[in-house]
Amino acid sequence: MSANIKDIFADEVVTHARVRDVALPHGAGTLALITLDNGHDHTKPNTFGPNGLAELDAAIDAVAARDDIAAVGVTGKPFIFAVGADLKGVPLIRSREDALAIGKLGHDVFRRLGELDVPSFAYYNGAAMGGGVEVGLHCTYRTISAGVPAFALPEAFLGLVPGWGGTYLLPNLIGAEKALKVVIDNPLAQNRMLKARQAHELGIADAIFDSADFLEESLTWTARVLKGDIVVDRPAVDTGKAWDDAIAAARWNLEGKLHGAAPSFTRALDLVAAAKDRTRDEGFAAEDEALADLIMSDELRAGLYAFDLTQKRAKRPAGAPDKALARPVTKVGVVGAGLMASQLALLFARRLEVPVVLTDLDRERLDKGVAYAHGEIDKLLGKGRVSPDQANRLKALITGSLTKDAFADADFVIEAVFEEMSVKQKVFAELEDHVSPDCVLATNTSSLSVTEMASKLRHPERVVGFHFFNPVAVLPLLEIVRGDRTDDAALATAFATGKKLKKSCVLVKDAPAFVVNRVLLRLLAEIVRAVDEGTPIETAERAAAPLGLPMPPFVLMGLVGPAIALHVNETLHGAFPDRFPLSENLAKMVAAGKSGVYRPDFTLDPEVVEIFAGGTSPSTEEQVLARALDALADEIRIMLDEGVVAAPEDIDLCMILGAGWPFHLGGITPYLDRAGVSERVTGRRFLEPGTASLPR
């Protein structure tokens, strides 16, 4: 290992590899058990940096020299096996030579576990990700604790590939189709994790045991394997048509979703595709080269920046008041009983475990809202995500009332009624006559002024914006909006409540459409304007493909609903008419009752095409993209100058968590910086060079 790599990872929290002998039951002999432990509790998981790999290498040296052991085992500290490579030093790597050395070092150490004179066993006792999964793949056998909450190869999501054996060993263990679910599909689905049982069902783990006595049961199983009482039967991997078909399907899916915008996914897929014909040495060498290329890419640096935002900044929101000011929330009220209100009721009941009461003016609508929430609980029960007792308790927590007297003892009431200022003001005025003086009043508005909404109240200081994204249970962002008179106690209560809801909260100034909707609507406004001018819808739709967004702009409009998009556009037009022009054609489309530009079969609706027809100045895809990016840079600079959020990092965090903006872009500002758009449009970059890109 070069001294240079050690210097780069000078701040490494070293994961030690401690060896102890274990007498296996049934007279099966002695097992040398290597325990991975960085000396911290489960809140600081085991990772592999150069020094940690050196310690593991030394431990393997020690056991390899012995002739008195029957097997070698690897496990982790309580609740944690290992969560992969130590990524803190990666942004500091400046040469491809050092990047290549990192890949080779992991391979050189891990592969020794599969080359010992005795069998090796990985005991996945806790969370295992990336290199943590891969070190186990090098072992002869694997067991997993039923309590493992997260098991994954997330590298492509970050901008890397599973580069310490994952793209070669996993498909050759369980087949290409299953392996691609772990290597490609799950990272593509916002970094979905496997549970223990799923890892076992896929064939990654050979056996699964209860967490209470996991190691003891694993050692007993190990003894029986060594004595021949248990023969691990692994189905033969089809390296013919089934492998090729799986690769073709994954490639088609990737192209449809990313349009080549995320190189790590394509590189990982190529490695899996080639793994069927390569030797292990060839497969590992190819992984080394891929790691070196990707480590020296802007996309990885942007991905690591995004990861840091979601893991650190999201947990310490900029500008949040002292959490000691937060008031306890023992009961929640929800005004309205529509779909959004019902989703909110279920979320509050599940996360806060307090009574939640919905109100509405209509008994039928109210009963329907409560029934929806109860039905969703039944679905959770059917999927095994809650027990029968939990389901019954949750249902008992969610009730309905036709009067707002039910809010008399509520500490937090949120409205989810029609997006009309006068309606919301009326709701809040009625609430103020029923709730306690300390009750926080929250609005789920997506674009209206929180300050204006509270302006006619006796206590406007208690009103706060609490903007969720749909679907409520899935999207992790919560924009918390401070009105001009919102006090610290109400704001602190909102942040504490958001945290208990397991949402990532960002403090936002009370400005039109806040962050996510304002950025998305500026993008959409430019694309719709291009169509109004005569650009074919399909051309304008394809223009945004290089951004690798979860869905094209007009598909997103169909999901949100053209009427809602028009309403937010009208709000923004009222505030900034020059930058958010109103589209007469969009208004006509809404008036015609169209749910989007596409029919159910995703062909263009000819009636919508006719509505938008007539423009005489069409643009090319490149021109539409250029003007859209220019508009985004302009709007984001204005938002930062206005103090809508504390820093560009908060814009990126909002777009990643609330709009699914790709990790490999690092959000939006790194992309605009790298493309030179920021400086051309605004005169300067949003981020310092090297923050989310290669050091220059």
Side-chain angles (χ1 to χ4, degrees):
M1 179 172 58
S2 74
N4 193 38
I5 297 176
K6 277 190 172 182
D7 292 341
I8 291 171
F9 287 80
D11 294 331
E12 175 186 352
V13 177
V14 177
T15 294
H16 305 290
R18 310 191 190 284
V19 184
R20 65 184 175 95
D21 286 356
V22 176
L24 293 170
H26 310 305
T30 298
L31 175 133
L33 181 63
I34 301 172
T35 300
L36 304 172
D37 190 347
N38 63 7
H40 297 267
D41 66 16
H42 66 280
T43 61
K44 190 178 285 290
N46 296 328
T47 56
F48 294 111
N51 292 292
L53 288 170
E55 283 217 14
L56 179 57
D57 198 34
I60 297 172
D61 276 342
V63 299
R66 297 174 59 179
D67 58 9
D68 61 334
I69 56 175
V72 172
V74 181
T75 193
K77 66 183 182 181
F79 309 111
I80 299 290
F81 185 75
V83 298
D86 179 357
L87 298 176
K88 293 192 302 296
V90 171
L92 304 177
I93 295 175
R94 292 175 175 267
S95 76
R96 192 179 186 282
E97 180 184 6
D98 288 337
L100 186 65
I102 291 292
K104 289 179 61 62
L105 180 61
H107 278 129
D108 290 347
V109 175
F110 286 0
R111 69 181 298 162
R112 298 185 64 198
L113 290 166
E115 297 170 349
L116 295 167
D117 293 334
V118 295
S120 55
F121 294 77
Y123 306 130
Y124 292 120
N125 65 302
M129 287 173 252
V133 169
E134 289 171 303
V135 70
L137 292 177
H138 285 267
C139 292
T140 320
Y141 303 99
R142 288 156 294 281
T143 67
I144 192 167
S145 166
V148 170
F151 189 97
L153 291 174
E155 286 87 347
F157 180 72
L158 297 174
L160 286 168
V161 296
W164 285 343
T167 66
Y168 180 82
L169 295 174
L170 188 61
N172 280 298
L173 174 69
I174 62 175
E177 183 178 6
K178 291 180 179 179
L180 288 169
K181 290 179 181 178
V182 185
V183 175
I184 299 292
D185 295 352
N186 285 353
L188 198 58
Q190 289 299 302
N191 205 20
R192 182 189 296 140
M193 302 280 161
L194 296 172
K195 301 293 187 184
R197 201 157 301 281
Q198 294 170 305
H200 178 238
E201 290 170 353
L202 284 171
I204 301 173
D206 300 306
I208 184 169
F209 301 111
D210 288 341
S211 54
D213 51 1
F214 168 68
L215 187 56
E216 180 182 354
E217 289 294 327
S218 292
L219 293 173
T220 299
W221 183 85
T222 296
R224 295 185 65 194
V225 169
L226 292 175
K227 291 180 70 66
D229 298 335
I230 292 177
V231 176
V232 175
D233 182 26
R234 296 176 183 147
V237 171
D238 186 336
T239 57
K241 184 175 185 298
W243 191 297
D244 295 337
D245 288 349
I247 297 297
R251 205 174 294 283
W252 182 85
N253 185 42
L254 266 189
E255 178 56 32
K257 290 186 175 181
L258 297 178
H259 310 286
S264 59
F265 283 95
T266 302
R267 198 68 179 263
L269 180 58
D270 289 343
L271 287 168
V272 173
K276 72 168 187 171
D277 296 319
R278 283 176 169 157
T279 64
R280 189 168 60 157
D281 287 348
E282 290 170 341
F284 291 177
E287 287 181 342
D288 291 339
E289 295 296 327
L291 275 183
D293 288 344
L294 291 168
I295 286 173
M296 298 309 296
S297 70
D298 283 327
E299 287 80 8
L300 172 64
R301 308 307 170 103
L304 294 178
Y305 162 80
F307 184 73
D308 191 66
L309 290 182
T310 58
Q311 296 301 305
K312 295 180 181 178
R313 193 175 184 90
K315 293 176 173 59
R316 294 187 289 274
D322 185 347
K323 60 185 178 183
L325 297 172
R327 303 187 186 110
V329 174
T330 60
K331 182 177 178 179
V332 172
V334 181
V335 183
L339 179 59
M340 175 61 80
S342 301
Q343 291 183 68
L344 292 176
L346 178 59
L347 179 68
F348 278 99
R350 285 193 73 193
R351 299 302 186 207
L352 270 59
E353 298 181 339
V354 300
V356 179
V357 58
L358 296 99
T359 64
D360 211 299
L361 300 176
D362 177 84
R363 168 60 68 182
E364 182 180 353
R365 183 177 173 86
L366 181 62
D367 289 346
K368 183 178 179 181
V370 173
Y372 172 86
H374 287 187
E376 291 300 298
I377 294 168
D378 286 334
K379 290 179 183 178
L380 293 171
L381 176 62
K383 295 176 182 177
R385 295 178 62 184
V386 296
S387 68
D389 284 346
Q390 288 173 316
N392 289 333
R393 284 200 299 273
L394 283 173
K395 287 181 180 180
L397 289 174
I398 301 174
T399 59
S401 172
L402 287 174
T403 69
K404 294 182 176 62
D405 292 341
F407 296 153
D409 55 346
D411 307 296
F412 191 98
V413 178
I414 184 168
E415 68 76 23
V417 299
F418 185 67
E419 192 78 346
E420 177 71 44
M421 180 60 74
S422 61
V423 174
K424 292 182 184 289
Q425 284 181 329
K426 181 181 178 183
V427 165
F428 275 161
E430 292 173 354
L431 283 173
E432 202 166 33
D433 291 333
H434 294 278
V435 299
S436 68
D438 291 336
C439 179
V440 172
L441 301 182
T443 171
N444 185 46
T445 182
S446 60
S447 61
L448 299 178
S449 169
V450 175
T451 300
E452 184 180 351
M453 210 176 293
S455 62
K456 299 179 181 180
L457 297 180
R458 296 188 298 275
H459 295 286
E461 70 277 1
R462 66 161 97 196
V463 179
V464 64
F466 215 61
H467 181 214
F468 290 90
F469 292 81
N470 209 358
V472 169
V474 176
L475 291 177
L477 179 66
L478 184 58
E479 291 180 337
I480 295 184
V481 186
R482 182 170 203 158
D484 288 353
R485 297 180 65 182
T486 305
D487 66 19
D488 283 350
L491 199 63
T493 303
F495 272 99
T497 302
K499 184 176 181 180
K500 287 182 180 178
L501 294 174
K502 298 186 178 180
K503 297 298 181 183
S504 297
C505 304
V506 175
L507 179 61
V508 180
K509 181 182 176 182
D510 187 17
F514 316 127
V515 176
V516 173
N517 284 340
R518 183 161 165 182
V519 173
L520 287 180
L521 260 295
R522 187 71 196 270
L523 172 67
L524 188 61
E526 285 302 319
I527 289 175
V528 171
R529 189 184 332 203
V531 176
D532 285 340
E533 292 169 355
T535 305
I537 291 174
E538 56 270 36
T539 300
E541 187 86 296
R542 286 195 305 268
L547 294 175
L549 299 176
M551 58 188 72
F554 283 110
V555 175
L556 176 63
M557 182 197 287
L559 179 68
V560 172
I564 293 176
L566 178 62
H567 173 75
V568 178
N569 188 220
E570 288 170 343
T571 300
L572 286 163
H573 175 75
F576 315 116
D578 293 340
R579 304 199 306 276
F580 292 88
L582 287 178
S583 168
E584 291 184 10
N585 291 331
L586 179 58
K588 290 177 184 176
M589 177 178 151
V590 172
K594 295 297 182 180
S595 60
V597 304
Y598 296 105
R599 294 184 293 195
D601 62 358
F602 281 96
T603 59
L604 285 171
D605 185 333
E607 294 179 12
V608 174
V609 173
E610 181 61 29
I611 288 172
F612 279 96
T616 58
S617 303
S619 298
T620 65
E621 286 182 35
E622 294 75 17
Q623 289 170 330
V624 174
L625 177 61
R627 65 192 284 181
L629 293 179
D630 286 359
L632 287 172
D634 177 55
E635 196 62 35
I636 290 169
R637 176 59 64 198
I638 292 170
M639 290 168 70
L640 292 171
D641 290 344
E642 290 176 352
V644 175
V645 289
E649 288 85 348
D650 293 314
I651 299 277
D652 293 322
L653 184 60
C654 285
M655 299 313 295
I656 291 165
L657 297 181
W661 215 274
F663 250 61
H664 72 272
L665 296 184
I668 179 59
T669 68
Y671 179 86
L672 295 171
D673 284 348
R674 289 198 307 274
V677 178
S678 307
E679 291 180 89
R680 177 166 50 77
V681 174
T682 75
R684 62 191 192 278
R685 296 169 61 97
F686 290 110
L687 302 169
E688 290 297 318
T691 301
S693 57
L694 282 169
R696 302 299 182 190

